[in-house]
Amino acid sequence: MDDALDLLLHDARVVTCDGPDGAPLGVVERGAVGVRGGRVAWIGPAAEAPRAARRIDAGGRVLLPGLVDPHTHLVFAGSRVDELARRLGGEDYRAIAAAGGGIAATVRATRAASDEALFDAAAARALALRARGVTSVEIKSGYGLELAHELRSLAVARRLAREGIVRVTTSLLGAHAVPKERAGDRAGYLEEVATQMIPRAIEAGLADACDVYLDDGAFSRDEAARVLGAAKAAGLAVRAHVGQFADLGGAELAAELGARSADHLEQVSDAGLRAMAAAGVTAVLLPGAWRTLRQTPPDAARMRRLGVRVAVGTDCNPGTSPTVDLPLMAALAARDAGLELDECVLAITREAARAAGLAEAGRIRVGWPADLALFEEDDPRALAYALGGTMARAVVLGGAVVLGGLVEDEPPPRAPLW
Ligand SMILES: [Zn+2]
């Protein structure tokens, strides 16, 4: 029995997201995926599947790699519903931020929260993402804006992974804003990010990457270059929030630094996109933010034409994108930005994994961790078709069924919504 699989999910429409150019979804009809030791051990037609200790009949549903959310600010406390009301009343996001609202409001609430309260809130969001099929999440700090608080936020993110809720990759975002108490010492704060936060976060094993908010009302290109340059020299991967309000040359900087991703990109030049394409920097689209701020979305056709790879994230944050619905973000990227439906599926799986720097996520591949998401529908495009409400029927994380309660060899009745 040594060669038997631990688990076999069979009679699924397997979408590996690992197909060749031209058919990248990699569909296996009436397929099966076998798991051994927490990793994918076999992929192929169900009729040819090897023996398994446990067999789960997927009943014809679509089986995808666990979804990947490549951009979140998951660790925070406090609601900003009042701020949304003010913006809808005509106030400007940057004016509210300048008056002590916006990010500063979340910094106050996050610093005041206990470790447990901060973890519980983040865990609730991570579980809500997972219920929608997400098994890997990029999580930024950026609501501490002080050494100990930034490290605490990253530690909360790490704990989500340690407790087996989702896989996590972290980004230190000390340069999210200048904290209120350092308003007169902008340069000093940035130096502290570059020379203290970065090394301490690395030393504590808490940061996988470094991020900067490069925009009008946030940090300049030179300031971002200082922080990201220090991060890169210290061995961290880099990425940046770029072009949400104004094109400050952030796409070009991301390309120069070999960043994993440049995120937002409502405002970006062709030259910036070309530089990103040449350097292999993934564009991360964040529909929740452009919707909330009622902005003109980026144009996916233009990115496609210029050869830029595209991922989609929730940007889960309390100010501009309070959402945990990654499939809905894909659906909005299709409607607003013109991403094709197949591209949407890849944008929240393999392209998202690439943007987040997750080497073994976003595809179903033999030898990789068995992170899988089973959906009620039989068509993967349903993820970007439905405007919200898409929940996973089952989720497998590292070979363990963490959501679903599927019964062995007993196909449950299917009830697709669409
Ligand atoms: Zn963000």
Side-chain angles (χ1 to χ4, degrees):
M1 287 294 283
D2 283 348
D3 59 341
L5 299 166
D6 301 334
L7 171 69
L8 184 79
L9 286 122
H10 64 91
D11 290 283
R13 190 160 189 226
V14 177
V15 177
T16 64
C17 296
D18 199 23
D21 289 350
L25 290 185
V27 179
V28 184
E29 302 292 353
R30 294 195 69 79
V33 174
V35 178
R36 190 188 295 119
R39 292 185 174 257
V40 173
W42 191 87
I43 306 167
E48 297 168 18
R51 289 171 301 122
R54 182 182 178 199
R55 292 166 56 91
I56 290 176
D57 190 328
R61 293 174 174 82
V62 68
L63 182 67
L64 285 154
L67 307 184
V68 178
D69 191 341
H71 183 135
T72 82
H73 306 250
L74 210 67
V75 181
F76 63 85
S79 161
R80 276 157 59 189
V81 66
D82 290 341
E83 180 186 314
L84 177 62
R86 285 169 65 188
R87 282 206 309 271
L88 294 173
E91 287 187 56
D92 176 68
Y93 174 76
R94 283 165 288 181
I96 292 170
I103 292 169
T106 300
V107 170
R108 281 193 299 278
T110 302
R111 286 179 180 175
S114 70
D115 291 359
E116 281 309 303
L118 206 52
F119 175 78
D120 288 350
R125 292 173 201 124
L127 285 166
L129 281 165
R130 196 174 79 179
R132 289 157 178 85
V134 176
T135 53
S136 294
V137 185
E138 187 267 358
I139 301 177
K140 305 171 197 305
S141 62
Y143 293 122
L145 304 187
E146 188 271 325
L147 178 63
H149 284 287
E150 284 292 295
L151 297 182
R152 181 170 81 132
S153 292
L154 294 173
V156 166
R158 285 279 196 249
R159 187 176 157 199
L160 295 173
R162 209 167 52 242
E163 299 208 0
I165 297 174
V166 286
R167 291 186 201 280
V168 170
T169 182
T170 58
S171 301
L172 172 68
L173 182 56
H176 196 194
V178 178
K180 200 170 168 232
E181 69 275 8
R182 303 291 294 275
D185 181 28
R186 183 183 179 88
Y189 177 70
L190 269 183
E191 276 311 292
E192 191 178 310
V193 173
T195 61
Q196 291 179 46
M197 277 187 201
I198 290 170
R200 287 289 302 279
I202 293 172
E203 209 176 274
L206 290 173
D208 300 317
C210 182
D211 197 339
V212 167
Y213 191 7
L214 196 183
D215 216 314
D216 187 25
F219 293 100
S220 71
R221 179 182 161 136
D222 285 352
E223 289 170 332
R226 167 73 184 111
V227 171
L228 296 180
K232 197 177 170 185
L236 286 183
V238 299
R239 52 194 307 156
H241 289 64
V242 157
Q244 185 180 15
F245 298 109
D247 182 4
L248 303 183
E252 288 88 340
L253 177 66
E256 267 169 44
L257 293 171
R260 279 179 176 162
S261 70
D263 306 32
H264 285 296
L265 297 165
E266 281 79 6
Q267 307 292 330
V268 65
S269 67
D270 280 2
L273 289 175
R274 276 197 197 92
M276 282 175 57
V281 180
T282 302
V284 178
L285 305 188
L286 303 170
W290 76 58
R291 276 283 169 129
T292 299
L293 296 170
R294 302 169 80 181
Q295 293 176 307
T296 303
D299 179 2
R302 181 178 171 224
M303 292 181 173
R304 194 181 302 122
R305 179 165 48 80
L306 296 173
V308 178
R309 307 177 80 109
V310 174
V312 169
T314 61
D315 195 14
C316 177
N317 78 73
T320 57
S321 196
T323 181
V324 289
D325 197 335
L326 187 61
L328 172 61
M329 296 302 105
L332 293 177
R335 269 102 175 153
D336 295 351
L339 213 60
E340 291 172 359
L341 295 180
D342 284 5
E343 290 175 328
C344 285
V345 174
L346 298 171
I348 55 175
T349 54
R350 77 181 205 187
E351 297 306 318
R354 191 173 185 278
L358 292 158
E360 294 189 332
R363 306 176 195 226
I364 304 176
R365 183 181 281 189
V366 170
W368 284 20
D371 296 348
L372 308 165
L374 188 71
F375 291 91
E376 199 66 24
E377 282 67 35
D378 59 11
D379 188 332
R381 298 173 302 175
L383 262 69
Y385 170 50
L387 274 173
T390 298
M391 306 295 282
R393 182 63 179 76
V395 175
V396 175
L397 180 63
V401 182
V402 293
L403 174 79
L406 293 176
V407 181
E408 290 183 30
D409 268 336
E410 190 181 302
R414 287 187 53 218
L417 287 170
W418 318 112

